[in-house]
Amino acid sequence: NIKENLMKKLTIFLLFSTVLFCDGFSGVSYFEYHTGDVDENYETHGFKLSRVYLTYKKAVSDQLSFKFQVDVGKLDDISVYNPVSGEWDASSSNDDRWTVFLKKAQLDWKLKKDMKLSMGMIGLNMLNVQEKTWGHRFVEKSALDLAKWSATADLGIGISKQFTEDFSASLLLTNGEGYKESDNDNYEKISLQLLYGEGRLDKNDGYNFGVVYSTLDQDENSDPTITEENTDTVFGAFGGWAGNGLRIGFEYHTSDHDNFDSASSYTGSLSSVYLTYAINDNLSVIARTDDRNPNDDSSVVTDDASTEIFGLIWTPVEGLSVCPNVTKTTRWSPFNPNSVGDDSVSDVALNFQFKF
């Protein structure tokens, strides 16, 4: 109705008016042009505004700080809850309308010099280090995020501790649905990260290696009188090195879907290798290859895919990055629903990132 639309516009106006004139506010926008055949949503080539993030950080005291972040994205990124199967399914409709997601509303409480408690809508620890080592989110998501094996943020609580100058650990308890969905069952997700070395190889030289692990129980049957559960676990190892203008990283993960119906159980593996080489201060070469395979020949899993990315990143001025790139994706579940077997698509794209 008119009153509801007016309130929405007023809320958005007040939000942007407030953050634009306060310290601690930042943002990033991803804009791109594609010349390829189709993508996973059967979309033709053209211009796209893929993402806008708006972030506000504030230190309340030496012990307390918070981070507020919104993610502006399209509605077709949202999964739809299927009450019959009891699972989250991708929407079959391609809805290009834009909406605002609350990605982070994170409160950090420094309990000790080397220990921190985080609560609220918090960033997850399954891929945050690897994402920074890759360092080019505006070109493509990191491997775990792209494969949808982990969300990047979720509602819950977590604790992190710096044991030594090089070794740290974090443990999170979250709802398990991610920041775009609401809690729909009685189970929580446990996520663990162990890290040795430099966590921000995109900013500092050094090296790192670590492991990540998560487990989540889910209802397999929508009937509350029937107890059927499946357990999804992800375990992985990663590492990286940066120095002399070169940054390289690798990661390998396994996923185990232990279903109540043993015939529907499966495992899978995911590997990713990537590098960035700075030719000079304004020009870099990037390359990456991902390989996602089900370790099962049954018809349950049809999402095996490989992705290769090659490009150049030009930074003409501070805050602006331009990346002409080529991406080739091959998967068993073909983009063309009428084709059979392997199907590959190549895409030549021009990606832009604007930070302020």
Side-chain angles (χ1 to χ4, degrees), residues 232-257:
D232 290 324
T233 60
V234 175
F235 176 77
F238 62 88
W241 178 86
N244 302 318
L246 176 65
R247 185 173 73 247
I248 58 177
F250 72 91
E251 51 191 283
Y252 179 80
H253 307 273
T254 61
S255 176
D256 185 6
H257 182 83

Side-chain angles (χ1 to χ4, degrees), residues 198-255:
E198 173 61 51
R200 292 297 304 264
L201 293 179
D202 58 327
K203 293 183 177 294
N204 305 305
D205 289 348
Y207 65 92
N208 66 45
F209 56 88
V211 295
V212 289
Y213 171 82
S214 70
T215 180
L216 173 65
D217 291 335
Q218 294 177 321
D219 288 322
E220 187 66 21
N221 197 305
S222 58
D223 186 347
T225 63
I226 301 176
T227 303
E228 295 184 4
E229 301 175 5
N230 65 48
T231 301
D232 290 324
T233 60
V234 175
F235 176 77
F238 62 88
W241 178 86
N244 302 318
L246 176 65
R247 185 173 73 247
I248 58 177
F250 72 91
E251 51 191 283
Y252 179 80
H253 307 273
T254 61
S255 176

Side-chain angles (χ1 to χ4, degrees), residues 41-342:
N41 294 318
Y42 311 113
E43 293 178 337
T44 57
H45 67 275
F47 292 98
K48 297 179 183 179
L49 181 65
S50 58
R51 257 326 181 257
V52 177
Y53 295 103
L54 302 174
T55 306
Y56 178 68
K57 299 179 181 180
K58 179 70 174 180
V60 180
S61 66
D62 292 339
Q63 291 77 37
L64 207 62
S65 64
F66 71 89
K67 180 178 183 180
F68 174 82
Q69 185 178 66
V70 293
D71 173 8
V72 183
K74 291 192 296 184
L75 285 172
D76 63 6
D77 288 335
I78 305 176
S79 296
V80 178
Y81 186 71
N82 187 333
V84 176
S85 65
E87 298 179 348
W88 290 92
D89 301 325
S91 175
S92 58
S93 61
N94 188 14
D95 195 335
D96 288 331
R97 291 178 298 168
W98 289 79
T99 189
V100 178
F101 304 98
L102 176 62
K103 183 172 184 179
K104 289 184 181 178
Q106 179 172 327
L107 181 68
D108 291 329
W109 177 17
K110 185 180 290 186
L111 302 175
K112 297 180 180 179
K113 182 180 179 180
D114 57 0
M115 183 180 296
K116 180 179 69 175
L117 182 69
S118 301
M119 61 191 79
M121 188 73 77
I122 61 179
L124 292 186
N125 56 2
M126 291 295 293
L127 53 87
N128 59 324
V129 176
Q130 305 95 295
E131 187 175 54
K132 299 304 182 184
T133 303
W134 161 234
H136 309 299
R137 170 62 183 85
F138 76 106
V139 177
E140 187 55 272
K141 298 177 181 179
S142 58
L144 273 178
D145 192 10
L146 182 62
K148 298 183 179 180
W149 284 17
S150 175
T152 55
D154 203 354
L155 189 62
I157 190 170
I159 188 167
S160 58
K161 181 175 175 58
Q162 192 78 32
F163 290 95
T164 67
E165 183 179 356
D166 294 318
F167 178 63
S168 64
S170 66
L171 180 66
L172 307 183
L173 180 66
T174 60
N175 280 343
E177 281 82 12
Y179 68 94
K180 295 180 182 179
E181 325 291 357
S182 58
D183 189 27
N184 283 274
D185 54 36
N186 297 319
Y187 307 105
E188 283 74 44
K189 180 178 182 177
I190 298 174
S191 304
L192 172 68
Q193 179 197 79
L194 302 177
L195 171 67
Y196 186 88
E198 173 61 51
R200 292 297 304 264
L201 293 179
D202 58 327
K203 293 183 177 294
N204 305 305
D205 289 348
Y207 65 92
N208 66 45
F209 56 88
V211 295
V212 289
Y213 171 82
S214 70
T215 180
L216 173 65
D217 291 335
Q218 294 177 321
D219 288 322
E220 187 66 21
N221 197 305
S222 58
D223 186 347
T225 63
I226 301 176
T227 303
E228 295 184 4
E229 301 175 5
N230 65 48
T231 301
D232 290 324
T233 60
V234 175
F235 176 77
F238 62 88
W241 178 86
N244 302 318
L246 176 65
R247 185 173 73 247
I248 58 177
F250 72 91
E251 51 191 283
Y252 179 80
H253 307 273
T254 61
S255 176
D256 185 6
H257 182 83
D258 187 8
N259 201 290
F260 177 84
D261 177 11
S262 60
S264 300
S265 298
Y266 59 86
T267 61
S269 63
L270 170 66
S271 62
S272 182
V273 180
Y274 34 87
L275 68 85
T276 301
Y277 178 69
I279 300 174
N280 55 47
D281 292 340
N282 300 322
L283 188 64
S284 299
V285 178
I286 65 170
R288 172 175 152 184
T289 178
D290 293 359
D291 191 21
R292 185 171 75 244
N293 287 303
N295 299 326
D296 194 318
D297 294 331
S298 71
S299 60
V300 175
V301 183
T302 58
D303 65 344
D304 51 322
S306 64
T307 303
E308 290 91 36
I309 302 171
F310 179 80
L312 294 173
I313 295 182
W314 177 46
T315 307
V317 294
E318 184 178 358
L320 176 64
S321 298
V322 183
C323 180
N325 61 90
V326 179
T327 300
K328 180 181 179 181
T329 302
T330 306
R331 63 177 59 185
W332 179 255
S333 294
F335 289 115
N336 180 358
N338 296 320
S339 67
V340 179
D342 292 341

